[in-house]
mmCIF file of all heavy atoms in Angstrom:
data_model
loop_
_atom_site.group_PDB
_atom_site.id
_atom_site.type_symbol
_atom_site.label_atom_id
_atom_site.label_comp_id
_atom_site.label_asym_id
_atom_site.label_seq_id
_atom_site.Cartn_x
_atom_site.Cartn_y
_atom_site.Cartn_z
ATOM 1 N N ARG K 196 128.051 -2.751 -52.336
ATOM 2 C CA ARG K 196 126.825 -3.235 -51.702
ATOM 3 C C ARG K 196 125.992 -2.087 -51.155
ATOM 4 O O ARG K 196 124.778 -2.072 -51.268
ATOM 5 C CB ARG K 196 127.176 -4.171 -50.555
ATOM 6 C CG ARG K 196 127.008 -5.616 -50.956
ATOM 7 C CD ARG K 196 126.732 -6.443 -49.727
ATOM 8 N NE ARG K 196 127.825 -7.384 -49.545
ATOM 9 C CZ ARG K 196 127.886 -8.259 -48.555
ATOM 10 N NH1 ARG K 196 126.953 -8.293 -47.639
ATOM 11 N NH2 ARG K 196 128.901 -9.086 -48.469
ATOM 12 N N LEU K 320 130.441 -8.084 -22.689
ATOM 13 C CA LEU K 320 129.460 -7.040 -22.952
ATOM 14 C C LEU K 320 128.141 -7.624 -23.435
ATOM 15 O O LEU K 320 128.109 -8.701 -24.033
ATOM 16 C CB LEU K 320 130.005 -6.017 -23.967
ATOM 17 C CG LEU K 320 130.014 -6.362 -25.450
ATOM 18 C CD1 LEU K 320 130.339 -5.120 -26.252
ATOM 19 C CD2 LEU K 320 131.025 -7.421 -25.756
ATOM 20 N N ALA K 322 125.239 -8.295 -25.815
ATOM 21 C CA ALA K 322 125.322 -8.429 -27.272
ATOM 22 C C ALA K 322 124.762 -7.218 -28.004
ATOM 23 O O ALA K 322 125.197 -6.899 -29.104
ATOM 24 C CB ALA K 322 124.604 -9.700 -27.722
ATOM 25 N N TYR K 329 131.477 -1.435 -28.771
ATOM 26 C CA TYR K 329 132.177 -2.445 -29.577
ATOM 27 C C TYR K 329 133.491 -1.887 -30.131
ATOM 28 O O TYR K 329 134.532 -2.532 -30.078
ATOM 29 C CB TYR K 329 131.295 -2.914 -30.741
ATOM 30 C CG TYR K 329 130.357 -4.050 -30.370
ATOM 31 C CD1 TYR K 329 129.047 -3.803 -29.973
ATOM 32 C CD2 TYR K 329 130.794 -5.364 -30.422
ATOM 33 C CE1 TYR K 329 128.188 -4.856 -29.642
ATOM 34 C CE2 TYR K 329 129.954 -6.411 -30.091
ATOM 35 C CZ TYR K 329 128.653 -6.154 -29.703
ATOM 36 O OH TYR K 329 127.825 -7.195 -29.377
ATOM 37 N N ARG K 333 137.295 -3.243 -29.295
ATOM 38 C CA ARG K 333 138.210 -3.712 -30.339
ATOM 39 C C ARG K 333 139.518 -2.930 -30.300
ATOM 40 O O ARG K 333 140.605 -3.488 -30.371
ATOM 41 C CB ARG K 333 137.552 -3.584 -31.706
ATOM 42 C CG ARG K 333 138.375 -4.227 -32.806
ATOM 43 C CD ARG K 333 137.596 -4.353 -34.084
ATOM 44 N NE ARG K 333 136.841 -3.126 -34.345
ATOM 45 C CZ ARG K 333 135.769 -3.067 -35.124
ATOM 46 N NH1 ARG K 333 135.319 -4.126 -35.691
ATOM 47 N NH2 ARG K 333 135.160 -1.917 -35.324
ATOM 48 N N GLY K 336 142.089 -3.935 -27.634
ATOM 49 C CA GLY K 336 142.893 -5.147 -27.810
ATOM 50 C C GLY K 336 142.637 -6.205 -26.752
ATOM 51 O O GLY K 336 143.380 -7.175 -26.634
ATOM 52 N N ALA K 337 141.584 -6.017 -25.955
ATOM 53 C CA ALA K 337 141.246 -7.007 -24.925
ATOM 54 C C ALA K 337 140.495 -8.176 -25.556
ATOM 55 O O ALA K 337 140.052 -8.093 -26.697
ATOM 56 C CB ALA K 337 140.365 -6.350 -23.859
ATOM 57 N N ASP K 338 140.348 -9.255 -24.778
ATOM 58 C CA ASP K 338 139.483 -10.357 -25.223
ATOM 59 C C ASP K 338 138.031 -9.924 -25.040
ATOM 60 O O ASP K 338 137.630 -9.541 -23.945
ATOM 61 C CB ASP K 338 139.755 -11.622 -24.396
ATOM 62 C CG ASP K 338 140.989 -12.354 -24.909
ATOM 63 O OD1 ASP K 338 141.440 -12.042 -26.035
ATOM 64 O OD2 ASP K 338 141.496 -13.216 -24.180
ATOM 65 N N VAL K 339 137.260 -10.003 -26.119
ATOM 66 C CA VAL K 339 135.894 -9.487 -26.095
ATOM 67 C C VAL K 339 134.903 -10.651 -26.160
ATOM 68 O O VAL K 339 134.895 -11.413 -27.127
ATOM 69 C CB VAL K 339 135.636 -8.547 -27.292
ATOM 70 C CG1 VAL K 339 134.240 -7.950 -27.192
ATOM 71 C CG2 VAL K 339 136.694 -7.453 -27.358
ATOM 72 N N ILE K 340 134.104 -10.761 -25.111
ATOM 73 C CA ILE K 340 133.125 -11.849 -25.044
ATOM 74 C C ILE K 340 131.730 -11.250 -24.913
ATOM 75 O O ILE K 340 131.519 -10.330 -24.104
ATOM 76 C CB ILE K 340 133.434 -12.759 -23.840
ATOM 77 C CG1 ILE K 340 134.787 -13.429 -24.084
ATOM 78 C CG2 ILE K 340 132.343 -13.804 -23.628
ATOM 79 C CD1 ILE K 340 135.358 -14.073 -22.868
ATOM 80 N N ARG K 341 130.804 -11.706 -25.753
ATOM 81 C CA ARG K 341 129.431 -11.188 -25.666
ATOM 82 C C ARG K 341 128.583 -12.111 -24.805
ATOM 83 O O ARG K 341 128.827 -13.311 -24.760
ATOM 84 C CB ARG K 341 128.797 -11.157 -27.059
ATOM 85 C CG ARG K 341 129.479 -10.258 -28.048
ATOM 86 C CD ARG K 341 129.099 -10.653 -29.462
ATOM 87 N NE ARG K 341 127.852 -10.067 -29.957
ATOM 88 C CZ ARG K 341 126.859 -10.744 -30.515
ATOM 89 N NH1 ARG K 341 126.921 -12.043 -30.608
ATOM 90 N NH2 ARG K 341 125.804 -10.123 -30.987
ATOM 91 N N PHE K 342 127.574 -11.533 -24.128
ATOM 92 C CA PHE K 342 126.546 -12.393 -23.524
ATOM 93 C C PHE K 342 125.199 -12.023 -24.110
ATOM 94 O O PHE K 342 125.014 -10.939 -24.652
ATOM 95 C CB PHE K 342 126.566 -12.325 -21.990
ATOM 96 C CG PHE K 342 126.122 -11.015 -21.378
ATOM 97 C CD1 PHE K 342 124.785 -10.833 -21.001
ATOM 98 C CD2 PHE K 342 127.014 -9.979 -21.162
ATOM 99 C CE1 PHE K 342 124.359 -9.637 -20.422
ATOM 100 C CE2 PHE K 342 126.608 -8.785 -20.590
ATOM 101 C CZ PHE K 342 125.282 -8.610 -20.219
ATOM 102 N N ARG K 343 124.261 -12.973 -24.027
ATOM 103 C CA ARG K 343 122.954 -12.773 -24.669
ATOM 104 C C ARG K 343 122.243 -11.578 -24.058
ATOM 105 O O ARG K 343 122.255 -11.394 -22.842
ATOM 106 C CB ARG K 343 122.104 -14.038 -24.556
ATOM 107 C CG ARG K 343 122.626 -15.168 -25.422
ATOM 108 C CD ARG K 343 121.635 -16.327 -25.511
ATOM 109 N NE ARG K 343 122.052 -17.263 -26.542
ATOM 110 C CZ ARG K 343 122.926 -18.243 -26.333
ATOM 111 N NH1 ARG K 343 123.460 -18.420 -25.150
ATOM 112 N NH2 ARG K 343 123.280 -19.033 -27.345
ATOM 113 N N ASP K 349 123.051 -15.814 -18.531
ATOM 114 C CA ASP K 349 124.024 -16.025 -19.595
ATOM 115 C C ASP K 349 125.339 -15.318 -19.255
ATOM 116 O O ASP K 349 126.422 -15.854 -19.484
ATOM 117 C CB ASP K 349 123.451 -15.499 -20.920
ATOM 118 C CG ASP K 349 124.145 -16.105 -22.121
ATOM 119 O OD1 ASP K 349 124.001 -17.322 -22.340
ATOM 120 O OD2 ASP K 349 124.852 -15.361 -22.835
ATOM 121 N N LYS K 352 127.136 -17.458 -16.691
ATOM 122 C CA LYS K 352 127.770 -18.619 -17.315
ATOM 123 C C LYS K 352 129.082 -18.234 -17.994
ATOM 124 O O LYS K 352 130.091 -18.923 -17.874
ATOM 125 C CB LYS K 352 126.779 -19.180 -18.343
ATOM 126 C CG LYS K 352 127.222 -20.408 -19.070
ATOM 127 C CD LYS K 352 126.048 -21.041 -19.813
ATOM 128 C CE LYS K 352 125.536 -20.147 -20.926
ATOM 129 N NZ LYS K 352 124.335 -20.677 -21.590
ATOM 130 N N ARG K 353 129.073 -17.112 -18.688
ATOM 131 C CA ARG K 353 130.265 -16.699 -19.415
ATOM 132 C C ARG K 353 131.368 -16.218 -18.469
ATOM 133 O O ARG K 353 132.560 -16.433 -18.723
ATOM 134 C CB ARG K 353 129.898 -15.659 -20.469
ATOM 135 C CG ARG K 353 129.138 -16.325 -21.596
ATOM 136 C CD ARG K 353 128.673 -15.448 -22.709
ATOM 137 N NE ARG K 353 128.549 -16.243 -23.929
ATOM 138 C CZ ARG K 353 127.622 -17.193 -24.153
ATOM 139 N NH1 ARG K 353 126.706 -17.442 -23.245
ATOM 140 N NH2 ARG K 353 127.619 -17.880 -25.269
ATOM 141 N N ARG K 355 131.726 -17.469 -15.490
ATOM 142 C CA ARG K 355 132.217 -18.715 -14.902
ATOM 143 C C ARG K 355 133.279 -19.341 -15.803
ATOM 144 O O ARG K 355 134.349 -19.738 -15.354
ATOM 145 C CB ARG K 355 131.029 -19.675 -14.691
ATOM 146 C CG ARG K 355 131.332 -20.917 -13.867
ATOM 147 C CD ARG K 355 131.517 -22.164 -14.706
ATOM 148 N NE ARG K 355 130.367 -22.437 -15.566
ATOM 149 C CZ ARG K 355 130.468 -23.097 -16.717
ATOM 150 N NH1 ARG K 355 131.636 -23.527 -17.162
ATOM 151 N NH2 ARG K 355 129.386 -23.297 -17.455
ATOM 152 N N ARG K 356 132.988 -19.395 -17.107
ATOM 153 C CA ARG K 356 133.961 -19.962 -18.058
ATOM 154 C C ARG K 356 135.280 -19.190 -18.025
ATOM 155 O O ARG K 356 136.361 -19.761 -18.055
ATOM 156 C CB ARG K 356 133.410 -19.882 -19.478
ATOM 157 C CG ARG K 356 132.473 -20.981 -19.792
ATOM 158 C CD ARG K 356 132.060 -20.909 -21.251
ATOM 159 N NE ARG K 356 130.832 -21.669 -21.404
ATOM 160 C CZ ARG K 356 129.788 -21.269 -22.101
ATOM 161 N NH1 ARG K 356 129.807 -20.126 -22.754
ATOM 162 N NH2 ARG K 356 128.716 -22.014 -22.169
ATOM 163 N N LEU K 357 135.131 -17.873 -17.949
ATOM 164 C CA LEU K 357 136.311 -17.023 -17.948
ATOM 165 C C LEU K 357 137.129 -17.251 -16.682
ATOM 166 O O LEU K 357 138.352 -17.372 -16.727
ATOM 167 C CB LEU K 357 135.833 -15.564 -18.028
ATOM 168 C CG LEU K 357 136.799 -14.544 -18.549
ATOM 169 C CD1 LEU K 357 137.256 -14.903 -19.954
ATOM 170 C CD2 LEU K 357 136.126 -13.171 -18.551
ATOM 171 N N ARG K 360 139.255 -20.338 -16.556
ATOM 172 C CA ARG K 360 140.432 -20.300 -17.410
ATOM 173 C C ARG K 360 141.600 -19.541 -16.792
ATOM 174 O O ARG K 360 142.709 -19.587 -17.273
ATOM 175 C CB ARG K 360 140.034 -19.554 -18.695
ATOM 176 C CG ARG K 360 140.424 -20.286 -19.947
ATOM 177 C CD ARG K 360 139.965 -19.609 -21.196
ATOM 178 N NE ARG K 360 139.768 -18.176 -21.143
ATOM 179 C CZ ARG K 360 139.957 -17.373 -22.175
ATOM 180 N NH1 ARG K 360 140.401 -17.845 -23.297
ATOM 181 N NH2 ARG K 360 139.694 -16.086 -22.096
ATOM 182 N N PRO K 549 121.973 -4.309 -39.859
ATOM 183 C CA PRO K 549 122.284 -4.836 -38.522
ATOM 184 C C PRO K 549 122.276 -3.784 -37.407
ATOM 185 O O PRO K 549 122.550 -4.150 -36.267
ATOM 186 C CB PRO K 549 123.694 -5.412 -38.707
ATOM 187 C CG PRO K 549 124.304 -4.604 -39.802
ATOM 188 C CD PRO K 549 123.188 -4.159 -40.692
ATOM 189 N N ILE M 39 130.584 -14.769 -45.060
ATOM 190 C CA ILE M 39 129.872 -13.519 -45.353
ATOM 191 C C ILE M 39 129.584 -13.393 -46.846
ATOM 192 O O ILE M 39 128.437 -13.201 -47.248
ATOM 193 C CB ILE M 39 130.673 -12.327 -44.793
ATOM 194 C CG1 ILE M 39 130.571 -12.368 -43.254
ATOM 195 C CG2 ILE M 39 130.147 -10.991 -45.336
ATOM 196 C CD1 ILE M 39 131.410 -11.394 -42.507
ATOM 197 N N ASN M 40 130.607 -13.556 -47.677
ATOM 198 C CA ASN M 40 130.397 -13.317 -49.107
ATOM 199 C C ASN M 40 129.662 -14.461 -49.825
ATOM 200 O O ASN M 40 128.924 -14.224 -50.762
ATOM 201 C CB ASN M 40 131.722 -13.027 -49.807
ATOM 202 C CG ASN M 40 132.286 -11.690 -49.349
ATOM 203 O OD1 ASN M 40 131.528 -10.740 -49.112
ATOM 204 N ND2 ASN M 40 133.591 -11.619 -49.176
ATOM 205 N N ASP M 45 125.752 -11.871 -41.938
ATOM 206 C CA ASP M 45 126.363 -10.584 -41.605
ATOM 207 C C ASP M 45 127.152 -10.746 -40.312
ATOM 208 O O ASP M 45 127.155 -11.817 -39.701
ATOM 209 C CB ASP M 45 125.318 -9.451 -41.545
ATOM 210 C CG ASP M 45 124.294 -9.646 -40.442
ATOM 211 O OD1 ASP M 45 124.614 -10.285 -39.420
ATOM 212 O OD2 ASP M 45 123.168 -9.152 -40.605
ATOM 213 N N VAL M 47 126.763 -9.758 -37.395
ATOM 214 C CA VAL M 47 125.990 -10.107 -36.202
ATOM 215 C C VAL M 47 125.593 -11.589 -36.234
ATOM 216 O O VAL M 47 125.670 -12.282 -35.214
ATOM 217 C CB VAL M 47 124.745 -9.201 -36.058
ATOM 218 C CG1 VAL M 47 123.918 -9.616 -34.853
ATOM 219 C CG2 VAL M 47 125.162 -7.740 -35.928
ATOM 220 N N MET M 50 128.555 -13.512 -35.040
ATOM 221 C CA MET M 50 128.762 -13.414 -33.588
ATOM 222 C C MET M 50 127.680 -14.178 -32.817
ATOM 223 O O MET M 50 127.957 -14.767 -31.778
ATOM 224 C CB MET M 50 128.772 -11.943 -33.162
ATOM 225 C CG MET M 50 130.004 -11.191 -33.658
ATOM 226 S SD MET M 50 130.221 -9.591 -32.858
ATOM 227 C CE MET M 50 128.781 -8.691 -33.404
ATOM 228 N N ASP M 51 126.463 -14.172 -33.337
ATOM 229 C CA ASP M 51 125.386 -14.909 -32.669
ATOM 230 C C ASP M 51 125.616 -16.415 -32.743
ATOM 231 O O ASP M 51 125.352 -17.145 -31.791
ATOM 232 C CB ASP M 51 124.019 -14.549 -33.275
ATOM 233 C CG ASP M 51 123.557 -13.160 -32.840
ATOM 234 O OD1 ASP M 51 124.176 -12.585 -31.918
ATOM 235 O OD2 ASP M 51 122.587 -12.652 -33.426
ATOM 236 N N LEU M 53 128.456 -17.734 -32.813
ATOM 237 C CA LEU M 53 129.543 -17.977 -31.873
ATOM 238 C C LEU M 53 129.007 -18.214 -30.448
ATOM 239 O O LEU M 53 129.528 -19.050 -29.714
ATOM 240 C CB LEU M 53 130.492 -16.775 -31.897
ATOM 241 C CG LEU M 53 131.918 -17.026 -31.438
ATOM 242 C CD1 LEU M 53 132.590 -18.071 -32.295
ATOM 243 C CD2 LEU M 53 132.712 -15.722 -31.481
ATOM 244 N N LEU M 54 127.949 -17.472 -30.074
ATOM 245 C CA LEU M 54 127.343 -17.667 -28.745
ATOM 246 C C LEU M 54 126.904 -19.123 -28.584
ATOM 247 O O LEU M 54 127.119 -19.742 -27.541
ATOM 248 C CB LEU M 54 126.114 -16.769 -28.574
ATOM 249 C CG LEU M 54 126.320 -15.266 -28.363
ATOM 250 C CD1 LEU M 54 124.975 -14.552 -28.323
ATOM 251 C CD2 LEU M 54 127.090 -15.000 -27.081
ATOM 252 N N GLU M 55 126.284 -19.661 -29.643
ATOM 253 C CA GLU M 55 125.800 -21.032 -29.563
ATOM 254 C C GLU M 55 126.951 -22.031 -29.493
ATOM 255 O O GLU M 55 126.888 -23.016 -28.763
ATOM 256 C CB GLU M 55 124.906 -21.343 -30.776
ATOM 257 C CG GLU M 55 123.564 -20.637 -30.667
ATOM 258 C CD GLU M 55 122.748 -20.695 -31.947
ATOM 259 O OE1 GLU M 55 122.914 -21.668 -32.715
ATOM 260 O OE2 GLU M 55 121.957 -19.764 -32.162
ATOM 261 N N GLU M 57 129.964 -21.434 -28.326
ATOM 262 C CA GLU M 57 130.578 -21.342 -26.995
ATOM 263 C C GLU M 57 129.823 -22.216 -26.004
ATOM 264 O O GLU M 57 130.418 -22.898 -25.174
ATOM 265 C CB GLU M 57 130.551 -19.882 -26.507
ATOM 266 C CG GLU M 57 131.524 -18.968 -27.211
ATOM 267 C CD GLU M 57 131.479 -17.552 -26.641
ATOM 268 O OE1 GLU M 57 130.374 -16.981 -26.503
ATOM 269 O OE2 GLU M 57 132.542 -17.008 -26.327
ATOM 270 N N ASP M 58 128.497 -22.175 -26.082
ATOM 271 C CA ASP M 58 127.687 -22.975 -25.161
ATOM 272 C C ASP M 58 127.853 -24.460 -25.433
ATOM 273 O O ASP M 58 127.982 -25.266 -24.523
ATOM 274 C CB ASP M 58 126.212 -22.590 -25.278
ATOM 275 C CG ASP M 58 125.945 -21.242 -24.616
ATOM 276 O OD1 ASP M 58 126.836 -20.759 -23.889
ATOM 277 O OD2 ASP M 58 124.864 -20.673 -24.848
ATOM 278 N N ASP M 61 131.253 -25.388 -24.336
ATOM 279 C CA ASP M 61 131.563 -24.822 -23.017
ATOM 280 C C ASP M 61 132.939 -24.152 -22.974
ATOM 281 O O ASP M 61 133.771 -24.449 -22.121
ATOM 282 C CB ASP M 61 131.453 -25.901 -21.924
ATOM 283 C CG ASP M 61 131.324 -25.266 -20.540
ATOM 284 O OD1 ASP M 61 130.821 -24.128 -20.444
ATOM 285 O OD2 ASP M 61 131.764 -25.887 -19.551
ATOM 286 N N ILE M 62 133.158 -23.270 -23.939
ATOM 287 C CA ILE M 62 134.414 -22.517 -23.984
ATOM 288 C C ILE M 62 134.106 -21.041 -24.220
ATOM 289 O O ILE M 62 132.981 -20.695 -24.585
ATOM 290 C CB ILE M 62 135.352 -22.999 -25.128
ATOM 291 C CG1 ILE M 62 134.593 -22.958 -26.466
ATOM 292 C CG2 ILE M 62 135.903 -24.370 -24.827
ATOM 293 C CD1 ILE M 62 135.482 -23.216 -27.665
ATOM 294 N N SER M 63 135.102 -20.195 -24.016
ATOM 295 C CA SER M 63 135.001 -18.785 -24.399
ATOM 296 C C SER M 63 135.744 -18.594 -25.712
ATOM 297 O O SER M 63 136.903 -18.978 -25.816
ATOM 298 C CB SER M 63 135.676 -17.886 -23.361
ATOM 299 O OG SER M 63 134.997 -17.929 -22.153
ATOM 300 N N VAL M 64 135.069 -18.027 -26.685
ATOM 301 C CA VAL M 64 135.748 -17.677 -27.933
ATOM 302 C C VAL M 64 135.655 -16.164 -28.104
ATOM 303 O O VAL M 64 134.659 -15.654 -28.594
ATOM 304 C CB VAL M 64 135.113 -18.371 -29.156
ATOM 305 C CG1 VAL M 64 135.933 -18.083 -30.411
ATOM 306 C CG2 VAL M 64 134.968 -19.869 -28.938
ATOM 307 N N PRO M 65 136.664 -15.431 -27.645
ATOM 308 C CA PRO M 65 136.600 -13.973 -27.771
ATOM 309 C C PRO M 65 136.432 -13.564 -29.231
ATOM 310 O O PRO M 65 137.070 -14.157 -30.108
ATOM 311 C CB PRO M 65 137.960 -13.508 -27.229
ATOM 312 C CG PRO M 65 138.453 -14.639 -26.392
ATOM 313 C CD PRO M 65 137.907 -15.887 -27.010
ATOM 314 N N ILE M 66 135.577 -12.564 -29.491
ATOM 315 C CA ILE M 66 135.309 -12.230 -30.889
ATOM 316 C C ILE M 66 136.549 -11.653 -31.585
ATOM 317 O O ILE M 66 136.668 -11.734 -32.795
ATOM 318 C CB ILE M 66 134.083 -11.296 -31.069
ATOM 319 C CG1 ILE M 66 134.221 -10.022 -30.260
ATOM 320 C CG2 ILE M 66 132.794 -12.003 -30.731
ATOM 321 C CD1 ILE M 66 133.028 -9.068 -30.445
ATOM 322 N N ASN M 67 137.476 -11.128 -30.792
ATOM 323 C CA ASN M 67 138.696 -10.627 -31.423
ATOM 324 C C ASN M 67 139.546 -11.759 -32.004
ATOM 325 O O ASN M 67 140.411 -11.528 -32.832
ATOM 326 C CB ASN M 67 139.519 -9.793 -30.426
ATOM 327 C CG ASN M 67 139.666 -10.472 -29.086
ATOM 328 O OD1 ASN M 67 138.677 -10.700 -28.396
ATOM 329 N ND2 ASN M 67 140.883 -10.806 -28.727
ATOM 330 N N MET M 68 139.284 -13.008 -31.552
ATOM 331 C CA MET M 68 140.054 -14.132 -32.108
ATOM 332 C C MET M 68 139.512 -14.620 -33.436
ATOM 333 O O MET M 68 140.115 -15.482 -34.080
ATOM 334 C CB MET M 68 140.101 -15.292 -31.107
ATOM 335 C CG MET M 68 140.994 -14.964 -29.937
ATOM 336 S SD MET M 68 141.245 -16.367 -28.861
ATOM 337 C CE MET M 68 142.162 -17.479 -29.929
ATOM 338 N N THR M 70 138.474 -12.381 -35.913
ATOM 339 C CA THR M 70 138.422 -11.290 -36.895
ATOM 340 C C THR M 70 138.953 -11.722 -38.263
ATOM 341 O O THR M 70 138.505 -11.220 -39.281
ATOM 342 C CB THR M 70 139.212 -10.041 -36.424
ATOM 343 O OG1 THR M 70 140.413 -10.489 -35.809
ATOM 344 C CG2 THR M 70 138.419 -9.219 -35.436
ATOM 345 N N ILE M 85 141.728 -23.099 -29.026
ATOM 346 C CA ILE M 85 141.281 -22.670 -27.696
ATOM 347 C C ILE M 85 141.095 -23.868 -26.781
ATOM 348 O O ILE M 85 141.550 -23.867 -25.633
ATOM 349 C CB ILE M 85 139.961 -21.866 -27.796
ATOM 350 C CG1 ILE M 85 140.238 -20.505 -28.447
ATOM 351 C CG2 ILE M 85 139.333 -21.673 -26.423
ATOM 352 C CD1 ILE M 85 138.996 -19.675 -28.680
ATOM 353 N N GLU M 89 143.473 -25.046 -23.129
ATOM 354 C CA GLU M 89 142.895 -25.025 -21.779
ATOM 355 C C GLU M 89 143.353 -26.200 -20.935
ATOM 356 O O GLU M 89 143.684 -27.246 -21.465
ATOM 357 C CB GLU M 89 141.379 -25.000 -21.864
ATOM 358 C CG GLU M 89 140.872 -23.584 -22.065
ATOM 359 C CD GLU M 89 139.367 -23.494 -22.236
ATOM 360 O OE1 GLU M 89 138.721 -24.539 -22.378
ATOM 361 O OE2 GLU M 89 138.866 -22.387 -22.233
#
Side-chain angles (χ1 to χ4, degrees):
Chain K
R196 259 206 244 180
L320 78 169
Y329 274 95
R333 188 168 43 202
D338 279 345
V339 184
I340 295 166
R341 298 160 85 231
F342 69 93
R343 290 191 169 85
D349 201 67
K352 182 167 66 185
R353 288 179 154 70
R355 190 258 304 153
R356 279 185 200 136
L357 202 58
R360 229 176 26 149
Chain M
I39 289 173
N40 292 324
D45 64 28
V47 177
M50 291 193 295
D51 286 349
L53 203 60
L54 286 176
E55 288 169 28
E57 287 182 310
D58 286 347
D61 198 27
I62 54 172
S63 294
V64 185
I66 56 179
N67 47 297
M68 288 188 66
T70 41
I85 290 176
E89 277 177 351

